[in-house]
Amino acid sequence: MARRWQVITVELLGGRGIDLDPPPGRDLIAPPSTTFAELAHAIDLAFARWDRAHHHEFTLADGTRIIDDVAQRDLAARAATGGPILDRVLPGTTQVKPLLERGDTMRYVFDLSDRWVYRCAITDKISVERLIGPRITGPQPIRGWGDLPDQYGRTRPDAERHRGAGSRRVDDEGGGAGGARPAPEALESGPSRRARRAAERAGAPDRWDHLGCEGRRDPRDARGERGRPRHLEFLEEFGAPVAEPVDVGAVRRARARRDIPSLVSAITGADCRHALQQVGACLAGAWRSSDGPGHALREPMTAAMLSAITQLGLRGWPGDDVLAELIMARLRQERPAGSPLPLRLGALVTSIAAAGQRDGVWLDLDTGVVWPASILAARAGRDWAGPITPPVEGDAALGIAPGHRWLHLDESDPGTAWSDRRAFIAHLAGGRSEEEIINARALRRGAERGPEAFYAAVVDRGLDSLWLTFRDDRRWGRARAALAAEGLRPA
């Protein structure tokens, strides 16, 4: 049976800030064994990318990225402006055919600085033996159209390479002196130069301007609906689906089992912006218990931790800066700031939440023991209307030794609850999907009518689980900041 090769239609949409309209394109045939690295090499050759010493990447419709030898930690900052802290990444040795069928589209970006953007679509399958014989063993172009711009925008040899001692740059029509190579215009005949200048004055490009016409045309001609060049819209919007919220329970279970592969799997492709305190703490703890520099998943863990540090800095909630410093200290294998306190931050936050409106909890800063203020006040026979004071010291029944330091933590302030609700609305309003924006508007209307209406709107929109995780993350940050103010950190 004849082998069926994929036909991949590749169009160069633009790069270096310019759009190509209509875009030049090439049809490539690729054998079933073609890898993304081999396809990238074939595309670069087909589109005259003569300097191929640049990084590149493919992006599939579901957001999966196929990269070359770029370390994941070098790409972490690109994922830190929103969405997942760890992208779904595959190596360049991955084969194309198992991931793409006829009709599928992907994006290819050559040179991550100049960002030459290509749209690639699987358009057909052919029996290559019947067309060109069995000698072709790798992806090859079979058809092409359009004019190809130079990857650096040059229309003549680089003047710097041909500048002689004492000569001036060959940037003018008059050419250079002192051994510099003259510009191509200086080699033209007289009538051709006059015709060219007349065409330029008339604003009509001729054959000499054809290669550079894309860079000189009105930039508004190729703008998309949002005012950006169309190739940049494709670059920003394709392969950027709305990420699902991270399963914090799965992250915690993986951390408790010290199962780093499961931890990486739980955060890959998931939106962690609303749970950075909880996810970041698990990352820092798992890194400490990992197998050191030779760990097989050290690279994605490094990328996730760097991305989490950046997102924490951008978010800027109370305690985010403290956690970012802790994660960076783990990466550098340095001792974190603050004295360790034998305390689980999650247990502390749960105790604070359970205290409700009853004056919060008292934390023993020497032992890490948490006492609800209601229990201590009832035992001492205190009046709830009286001022809040530290627990009774030297109570042998409760095991409270004299001379300990205490920290009062309370979440009953209505202003704190209102701040959390307002931050949750802003979190949804900053989303990329229309559903998130609609949810934010509904919650905003509920918040204007009071806390009960807000919580009812949360349940009606199916956001109760997301809200609880978000609220807990705010509480984690406040508790972490309060401990840091005392020179402590959870052990």
Side-chain angles (χ1 to χ4, degrees):
M1 180 181 296
R3 293 192 302 167
R4 303 285 288 178
W5 287 32
Q6 289 180 320
V7 177
I8 305 176
T9 300
V10 183
E11 295 178 304
L12 176 56
L13 303 183
R16 299 181 63 250
I18 60 174
D19 273 314
L20 300 178
D21 188 20
R26 300 291 185 266
D27 280 343
L28 282 75
I29 54 173
S33 61
T34 299
T35 65
F36 283 94
E38 294 171 343
L39 179 60
H41 182 74
I43 293 175
D44 295 343
L45 293 179
F47 283 85
R49 305 295 93 174
W50 52 270
D51 182 5
R52 299 194 300 276
H54 296 281
H55 294 305
H56 60 263
E57 70 174 23
F58 288 92
T59 304
L60 306 185
D62 64 354
T64 301
R65 301 161 68 190
I66 297 91
I67 61 177
D68 51 4
D69 58 348
V70 182
Q72 291 187 25
R73 59 176 174 269
D74 295 334
L75 299 176
R78 287 146 49 81
T81 56
I85 64 173
L86 189 62
D87 283 351
R88 291 184 290 270
V89 177
L90 297 175
T93 54
T94 306
Q95 292 186 351
V96 177
K97 188 174 182 180
L99 299 180
L100 295 170
E101 296 294 337
R102 181 183 298 182
D104 291 342
T105 302
M106 62 180 172
R107 183 185 68 215
Y108 174 60
V109 179
F110 171 80
D111 189 347
L112 303 184
S113 175
D114 285 346
R115 298 192 295 183
W116 291 99
V117 181
Y118 300 79
R119 180 173 53 222
C120 310
I122 311 299
T123 54
D124 200 0
K125 289 185 178 181
I126 62 173
S127 298
V128 67
E129 287 84 355
R130 296 184 180 181
L131 295 180
I132 58 178
R135 294 185 178 181
I136 303 300
T137 59
Q140 297 288 337
I142 57 174
R143 286 184 294 270
W145 59 92
D147 299 309
L148 302 178
D150 181 79
Q151 69 183 85
Y152 296 127
R154 296 168 177 165
T155 58
R156 60 189 182 191
D158 189 356
E160 290 289 343
R161 294 179 55 191
H162 305 288
R163 186 197 297 189
S167 63
R168 62 187 180 91
R169 287 183 62 94
V170 190
D171 290 334
D172 305 322
E173 288 191 1
R181 180 174 178 175
E185 293 86 344
L187 303 178
E188 301 173 21
S189 61
S192 177
R193 292 184 64 190
R194 287 195 296 270
R196 177 173 175 271
R197 290 179 177 178
E200 289 177 346
R201 286 193 296 270
D206 57 8
R207 63 187 183 94
W208 299 98
D209 290 303
H210 190 64
L211 289 176
C213 63
E214 295 295 343
R216 287 191 295 271
R217 64 195 180 105
D218 189 346
R220 295 171 296 180
D221 295 344
R223 297 280 170 172
E225 296 181 358
R226 301 183 183 180
R228 298 192 307 273
R230 280 194 289 264
H231 78 282
L232 293 183
E233 287 188 6
F234 184 72
L235 176 67
E236 297 171 3
E237 298 176 2
F238 181 83
V242 177
E244 294 295 327
V246 65
D247 185 351
V248 178
V251 174
R252 291 178 180 173
R253 289 190 295 270
R255 167 67 183 94
R257 298 191 306 266
R258 298 186 179 182
D259 186 355
I260 298 182
S262 297
L263 174 60
V264 171
S265 176
I267 64 176
T268 298
D271 185 1
C272 302
R273 293 174 300 159
H274 64 293
L276 285 175
Q277 279 285 336
Q278 302 164 73
V279 172
C282 290
L283 288 173
W287 178 268
R288 183 180 181 183
S289 62
S290 65
D291 297 338
H295 196 279
L297 294 175
R298 189 177 183 89
E299 190 68 31
M301 282 286 291
T302 303
M305 294 172 75
L306 289 174
S307 185
I309 291 172
T310 305
Q311 284 198 6
L312 286 166
L314 293 174
R315 195 174 70 169
W317 291 355
D320 284 354
D321 56 340
V322 180
L323 179 58
E325 293 176 1
L326 171 65
I327 297 175
M328 182 58 71
R330 295 299 188 202
L331 282 173
R332 294 174 176 174
Q333 299 182 352
E334 299 174 351
R335 182 181 178 84
S339 301
L341 182 66
L343 171 74
R344 291 179 54 208
L345 196 60
L348 174 61
V349 171
T350 301
S351 300
I352 297 174
Q357 302 296 323
R358 303 302 298 256
D359 291 340
V361 300
W362 286 96
L363 172 63
D364 189 334
L365 298 182
D366 294 296
T367 63
V369 176
V370 178
W371 287 103
S374 58
I375 295 178
L376 297 175
R379 182 173 179 83
R382 299 174 184 175
D383 183 6
W384 285 108
I388 299 175
T389 57
V392 178
E393 298 182 355
D395 193 327
L398 295 180
I400 300 177
H404 284 199
R405 298 174 301 147
W406 296 89
L407 175 64
H408 182 251
L409 300 172
D410 187 8
E411 289 283 339
S412 61
D413 183 13
T416 302
W418 165 245
S419 176
D420 290 346
R421 295 193 294 269
R422 184 173 56 186
F424 186 61
I425 295 173
H427 170 75
L428 294 178
R432 292 177 295 180
S433 69
E434 183 178 356
E435 181 181 2
E436 289 178 309
I437 297 175
I438 294 176
N439 288 337
R441 293 173 180 172
L443 296 186
R444 186 178 293 109
R445 291 192 296 268
E448 292 172 353
R449 296 194 297 269
E452 293 78 9
F454 170 83
Y455 298 134
V458 167
V459 175
D460 291 341
R461 308 299 297 186
L463 301 172
D464 44 345
S465 177
L466 183 66
W467 157 249
L468 293 176
T469 303
F470 182 93
R471 184 195 61 188
D472 287 347
D473 211 63
R474 300 269 296 183
R475 290 174 173 173
W476 275 57
R478 287 192 289 266
R480 191 183 298 277
L483 291 176
E486 300 292 335
L488 300 170
R489 59 178 173 84

